[in-house]
Amino acid sequence: MSDEVKLSPVEEIKETSQYLRGDIPEELVDGQTGFGKSSVQLLKHHGTYEQEDRDGRAERRANGDKETLNIFMVRTRIPGGKLTSEQLLAELDLCDELGNTTLRATSRQGLQLHGVLKTNLKESIRRINDIQLTTLGACGDVNRNVMCCPAPTAGPIHDQLQKLAAELANHFAPHTSSYHDIWLTDVETGEKTKVTDDVVEPIYGKVYLPRKFKMGIALPDDNCIDIYTHDLGLLAIIRDGQIVGYNMLVGGGQGVTPAIKKTYPALAHRMAFVRPAQVIEVAEAVVKVQRDFGNREDRKQARLKYLIADWGLSAFKAKVEEYVGYPLTACEPDDVTDVDHHMGWREQGDGKWCYGLCVASGRILDNDEMQLKSALRAICRELKPGIRLTAQQSILFADIAEADRSRLEELLRTHHVPLSEQALPVRLLSLACVAWPTCGLSITESERAMPGVLTELEEELTRQGLEDEQITVRMTGCPNGCARPYNCDIGLVGKAKEKYTLYVGGRTAGDRLSYILKDLVPRDELIATLAPVLARFKSERSDGESFGDYCHRVGAEALQALCCG
Ligand code: SRM
Ligand code: SF4
């Protein structure tokens, strides 16, 4: 048997790309609506995906148009979801001028433009950079957007966490000059930096990481960023009001391909306690171990979770210790206990207020029912709040003066935007991925199906007197898990045309995986399938027991019999 390693095709594309340049500059101006196969892979590292409007495809085919009409998604990475009113206003202008007139807040505190034509790609990316934001490393085989609890709470803790998010984002940002050359220099003048081998990617090297890599920072009593789903999570350890260090968690991930048995969602493992001064170097060692030993043959096995499963946690930790050059200390006993959705009015602790506005699946648009985009513009122009994006695809307006609170509410009402106080807890904690029509991997609807599903669920909860329960519902249009559906109370995962796999038994704190309650449930039967389980929960729950904990305690067999019998 030959020991020869057959690298995945993406590895060769990266290797020969001269640090992510490839043929992008030439293809950008070749008059076609899309890019060649290699460039499509490289473009992800620049923060953009080539897509198609799948709604329009059938119509185009019916009209005899065989050509694919390419459109692009452009993702801005925003560490900790922290931006200014001016930056949000500029992104809103971009979605109107160069996108499909909607802006999307993502499940990782980023922003996405959809429907950008190739001819507008360069201008979109350049204008995002003009406002001191970037798309570099928002996608691709690098460290993605660093997540962090977005609460603008005054005092050293939240401030320190946000600073760490920015520091990690900078430290792990790709260094290649091709991003600057392709998107930020003037093609007309032909001005270009020649990419040579002296361009150094000190952390990633020439072939970058085997796969995407994700980092997040959380607090034990507020795991709003879902730390157990990250490749590398940092849980702040607080003693006497000070951060004394972090429990470092490694190897979380949600993606699964049901047809490939060796793929699965995994919770991160608690690896070590690191002091604040050690965080960057230990994180770098983790990333480098994944760089050097992660699977580069099979992209379905390339995430850090599979390397750790393969080696075992202690062997992985030993290798990280070898890279960092000293032994690591065991984790502190602290763990996650709760999640704050940050919605509604909160005092920041510095005399200012923060308002959390629940945005349905993160989609910012104007329509006949409500003018969310216009409301955001009015708020940003008049009140100029700090903006924070949450991990639940919603928006926080920070630093609001007491005197401006009623004006903010008035601006929302004038534009028919429902206040968060009007929503039940189940809506405030919900997440849905983009799915149709832009996501090329979607099997079912998600973002567009979620409002109806939530309304039905709210009605059922109210009918059963459970409307005040804190239940997390997350929906995705395929099993890749972009809305983190495998560790919450109720997960709805698109599996076949208009059919979902229904998961229960995770929990809001996000530290437990769920199990399948029923597979291939038609969309219009989702709530009817859940109803008997909710009823049994109501009658059998122990004192203060949550829905997720109840489903976990009672177990798959009993509940499956209830709704499949
Ligand atoms: Fe995701 C691929 C959207 C968060 C796991 N994700 C995609 C693509 C790019 C589809 C593609 O490859 O062609 C989707 C673009 C759709 C579109 O039209 O915009 C997409 N993912 C999203 C977003 C926008 C969902 C949302 O509605 O908010 C999120 C963008 C976050 C950001 O700002 O960076 C998004 N994706 C996630 C998360 C959640 C998280 O990271 O907290 C996950 C699960 C965690 C994880 O990574 O394990 C996630 N996305 C995936 C996967 C499966 C990865 C795996 O290990 O198997 C894919 C497919 C892939 O990579 O091959 C994927
Ligand atoms: Fe697309 Fe699937 Fe991710 Fe949803 S979960 S955005 S359908 S890849």
Side-chain angles (χ1 to χ4, degrees):
M1 267 211 345
S2 155
D3 284 344
E4 206 179 305
V5 171
K6 192 170 178 319
L7 295 176
S8 85
V10 178
E11 290 302 315
E12 198 192 325
I13 293 171
K14 288 183 285 182
E15 164 100 48
T16 55
S17 72
Q18 287 186 296
Y19 298 97
L20 309 178
R21 171 184 292 262
D23 296 327
I24 299 173
E26 294 72 25
E27 291 179 11
L28 191 58
V29 290
D30 66 4
Q32 306 291 313
T33 65
F35 288 85
K37 278 202 174 92
S38 300
S39 297
V40 165
Q41 292 302 328
L42 295 175
L43 279 165
K44 295 178 185 178
H45 302 76
H46 297 254
T48 180
Y49 268 71
E50 184 173 297
Q51 301 182 319
E52 188 186 359
D53 174 1
R54 295 173 75 192
D55 279 344
R57 185 198 288 165
E59 202 180 316
R60 284 195 305 279
R61 295 286 182 278
N63 291 336
D65 185 354
K66 292 199 174 56
E67 295 292 306
T68 299
L69 177 61
N70 294 116
I71 51 173
F72 291 81
M73 174 268 271
V74 179
R75 186 181 290 169
T76 306
R77 82 179 159 86
I78 303 171
K82 188 176 178 184
L83 69 164
T84 62
S85 277
E86 291 73 23
Q87 288 169 326
L88 183 57
L89 282 168
E91 289 264 359
L92 290 169
D93 287 348
L94 277 176
C95 86
D96 277 342
E97 292 168 33
L98 304 174
N100 68 357
T101 75
T102 76
L103 185 64
R104 182 61 155 64
T106 74
S107 57
R108 290 193 68 77
Q109 301 177 292
L111 285 173
Q112 285 185 181
L113 302 171
H114 284 110
V116 175
L117 295 175
K118 188 178 169 190
T119 42
N120 289 329
L121 201 48
K122 182 161 176 162
E123 185 179 347
S124 307
I125 294 178
R126 185 185 51 73
R127 283 173 58 178
I128 288 169
N129 280 268
D130 284 348
I131 52 166
Q132 277 73 54
L133 293 174
T134 185
T135 65
L136 176 62
C139 322
D141 296 342
V142 292
N143 184 42
R144 304 284 188 93
N145 195 33
V146 179
M147 292 180 76
C148 179
C149 173
T153 313
I157 307 276
H158 283 83
D159 211 32
Q160 232 169 296
L161 298 184
Q162 283 285 340
K163 280 193 180 122
L164 180 58
E167 212 182 321
L168 287 165
N170 278 339
H171 189 79
F172 291 98
H175 284 216
T176 177
S177 63
S178 52
Y179 182 80
H180 183 269
D181 290 345
I182 296 170
W183 310 109
L184 310 180
T185 51
D186 191 355
V187 165
E188 311 286 297
T189 63
E191 181 205 330
K192 225 191 269 184
T193 316
K194 188 162 174 355
V195 177
T196 58
D197 284 348
D198 60 2
V199 174
V200 178
E201 285 285 10
I203 296 173
Y204 299 124
K206 213 173 174 181
V207 283
Y208 295 82
L209 297 179
R211 204 64 162 86
K212 56 177 76 164
F213 195 94
K214 299 180 172 178
M215 294 184 191
I217 309 168
L219 288 159
D221 61 353
D222 184 8
N223 181 27
C224 63
I225 60 100
D226 231 336
I227 191 167
Y228 275 92
T229 64
H230 286 74
D231 293 272
L232 190 152
L234 293 162
L235 186 70
I237 305 300
I238 298 163
R239 303 281 180 262
D240 299 324
Q242 302 289 328
I243 298 178
V244 294
Y246 299 86
N247 279 347
M248 188 178 278
L249 281 60
V250 290
Q254 294 265 302
V256 59
T257 308
I260 304 177
K261 289 288 166 244
K262 57 187 183 177
T263 65
Y264 46 81
L267 293 180
H269 307 264
R270 293 157 57 87
M271 183 180 74
F273 170 77
V274 290
R275 291 191 313 279
Q278 296 175 301
V279 171
I280 299 280
E281 62 192 19
V282 181
E284 188 173 317
V286 170
V287 168
K288 285 180 169 169
V289 172
Q290 160 70 351
R291 176 196 67 190
D292 296 345
F293 298 96
N295 189 327
R296 290 187 186 263
E297 297 165 59
D298 178 359
R299 287 180 69 79
K300 294 274 182 208
Q301 289 288 295
R303 291 294 291 272
L304 181 64
K305 63 183 174 183
Y306 299 116
L307 179 65
I308 294 177
D310 200 19
W311 285 4
L313 180 64
S314 48
F316 179 79
K317 184 178 172 191
K319 186 57 84 179
V320 173
E321 288 170 332
E322 186 188 313
Y323 271 53
V324 84
Y326 52 80
L328 296 171
T329 326
C331 279
E332 287 291 305
D334 311 49
D335 206 344
V336 298
T337 54
D338 206 355
V339 166
D340 186 347
H341 50 57
H342 302 294
M343 294 294 99
W345 283 111
R346 306 287 174 91
E347 217 172 339
Q348 294 182 182
D350 57 359
K352 298 277 177 59
W353 289 81
C354 174
Y355 187 75
L357 179 70
C358 180
V359 178
S361 309
R363 186 66 69 178
I364 300 165
L365 79 173
D366 281 359
N367 59 24
D368 291 345
E369 274 166 47
M370 75 165 150
Q371 297 76 52
L372 177 57
K373 195 168 53 172
S374 301
L376 292 188
R377 279 204 166 101
I379 290 167
C380 287
R381 284 187 187 132
E382 190 178 324
L383 304 177
K384 300 184 177 50
I387 304 293
R388 310 286 177 103
L389 305 173
T390 76
Q392 283 69 39
Q393 303 165 324
S394 286
I395 295 184
L396 309 185
F397 303 108
D399 309 321
I400 304 284
E402 170 76 42
D404 290 333
R405 287 178 60 188
S406 53
R407 178 63 182 149
L408 185 130
E409 288 192 13
E410 191 186 336
L411 286 169
L412 290 171
R413 283 202 192 91
T414 319
H415 293 90
H416 308 105
V417 177
L419 299 184
S420 303
E421 291 78 355
Q422 290 166 243
L424 296 186
V426 75
R427 199 172 282 266
L428 302 182
L429 284 167
S430 69
L431 274 171
C433 76
V434 176
W436 282 80
T438 55
C439 179
L441 305 179
S442 58
I443 301 166
T444 61
E445 294 283 353
S446 178
E447 178 189 318
R448 297 193 297 199
M450 190 61 152
V453 169
L454 274 178
T455 301
E456 263 186 72
L457 179 59
E458 283 177 338
E459 281 165 9
E460 185 60 35
L461 288 170
T462 308
R463 202 177 61 78
Q464 299 205 24
L466 292 168
E467 66 276 14
D468 294 330
E469 289 302 311
Q470 179 161 302
I471 295 175
T472 324
V473 187
R474 297 173 178 173
M475 179 182 256
T476 57
C478 85
N480 277 315
C482 298
R484 302 184 291 270
Y486 303 114
N487 61 337
C488 56
D489 296 299
I490 301 173
L492 309 167
V493 176
K495 176 81 173 295
K497 196 164 186 286
E498 293 200 39
K499 291 192 172 137
Y500 297 79
T501 311
L502 214 165
Y503 288 80
V504 295
R507 63 172 151 190
T508 302
D511 56 347
R512 189 174 61 215
L513 288 176
S514 47
Y515 58 80
I516 295 179
L517 177 67
K518 193 171 180 184
D519 202 8
L520 295 171
V521 185
R523 183 165 104 191
D524 51 12
E525 291 173 24
L526 286 169
I527 303 309
T529 308
L530 277 167
V533 182
L534 289 165
R536 184 118 163 226
F537 161 63
K538 172 129 198 244
S539 64
E540 289 183 358
R541 72 192 297 192
S542 54
D543 252 5
E545 190 174 35
S546 72
F547 180 67
D549 286 349
Y550 168 78
C551 292
H552 176 71
R553 172 169 66 81
V554 174
E557 219 174 300
L559 295 186
Q560 282 163 355
L562 194 64
C563 58
C564 307

